[in-house]
Amino acid sequence: MRVLLAGASGLVGAQVLRQLLDDPRCSSVVAPTRRPLAQVDPRLLNPVRDFSELPLEADWWQVDAAICALGSTMKQAGSREVFRQIDHGYPLLIAQTVKRHGCKVFALNSAVGANPRSPVFYNRIKGELEYNLRALGFDALTLVRPGLIGGERAERRPGEHIAGRVLGVLGPVLPRAWRINPADRIARALVEAALAPQPGERVIGPAQLA
């Protein structure tokens, strides 16, 4: 299968890219990024473009499945408007574009608590994106909702680091839904959703990713 991956330079996205390139079911990966990726592989196409200037009629949008692992934080984004664009606007545009080019399978790395009616801005944006993706009518739509993601990020997030240390110690006695979700397990859920799609909508929560 030919797969488009958005967010390949992030913590989860990098794991998704590695797993896709290691999987014989995947014939090629299209991974648009703002900066060139370090990976070199004959099956990897890495268009380097700003997401505000994506060429929406390019041939490389013609894929069998798409995975979106784009995401930011309020601190990184700097404002609610920029955060909404990164975590809602760009993912929705990518989904609309691959759908228009014939893609029938979409997998999203969302978040636990995603709800379009949530009073929490972060959860509300994630929920609005899920709602809008449902309306596009993919044959197979998978919403992966991790809790705290475990792994080494390029940028430091002190709050996540502290929470991760606490949950790491308490992990064995905590319910599965409260445990750290390793980035490679989240990636595996996204990869399987793309390469072995199940018709309809699936939601994968933190307990399934622990």
Side-chain angles (χ1 to χ4, degrees):
M1 295 181 68
R2 180 176 170 88
V3 181
L4 183 136
L5 169 61
S9 60
L11 175 60
V12 173
Q15 293 285 341
V16 172
L17 179 60
R18 179 184 62 79
Q19 293 183 23
L20 285 173
L21 292 176
D22 286 344
D23 198 310
R25 295 173 295 175
C26 180
S27 60
S28 61
V29 180
V30 181
T33 54
R34 290 184 299 134
R35 290 181 290 275
L37 294 170
Q39 287 91 336
V40 177
D41 190 289
R43 292 178 298 150
L44 174 62
L45 174 62
N46 178 212
V48 178
R49 301 293 294 266
D50 191 282
F51 280 82
S52 64
E53 300 176 345
L54 290 172
L56 302 183
E57 299 303 326
D59 291 342
W60 46 259
W61 291 102
Q62 297 175 14
V63 294
D64 301 298
I67 297 173
C68 182
L70 282 176
S72 184
T73 64
M74 283 297 298
K75 182 177 180 180
Q76 285 177 314
S79 70
R80 287 192 168 197
E81 292 74 17
V82 175
F83 177 84
R84 179 185 289 273
Q85 183 63 29
I86 295 172
D87 280 60
H88 180 279
Y90 293 151
L92 182 57
L93 175 63
I94 288 165
Q96 291 170 331
T97 306
V98 294
K99 181 68 166 56
R100 184 162 51 84
H101 283 83
C103 179
K104 298 180 179 181
V105 179
F106 196 89
L108 172 72
N109 187 37
S110 185
V112 65
N115 187 329
R117 297 182 179 85
S118 174
V120 179
F121 180 73
Y122 179 89
N123 292 344
R124 187 165 68 251
I125 295 302
K126 295 293 187 181
E128 289 176 359
L129 175 59
E130 290 187 359
Y131 178 84
N132 293 143
L133 290 177
R134 291 187 182 101
L136 295 180
F138 285 100
D139 289 358
L141 173 64
T142 301
L143 307 172
V144 179
R145 295 176 179 169
L148 184 65
I149 301 174
E152 293 297 323
R153 296 184 183 274
E155 82 285 356
R156 185 169 176 80
R157 298 182 181 180
E160 286 189 4
H161 178 71
I162 294 171
R165 289 179 65 88
V166 172
L167 292 179
V169 172
L170 297 177
V173 299
L174 289 175
R176 292 184 65 84
W178 295 3
R179 297 178 189 176
I180 293 174
N181 294 159
D184 62 335
R185 294 190 187 177
I186 300 168
R188 174 51 55 192
L190 292 164
V191 168
E192 287 302 313
L195 299 182
Q198 298 181 20
E201 179 182 324
R202 296 174 63 217
V203 176
I204 300 176
Q208 298 163 270
L209 302 167

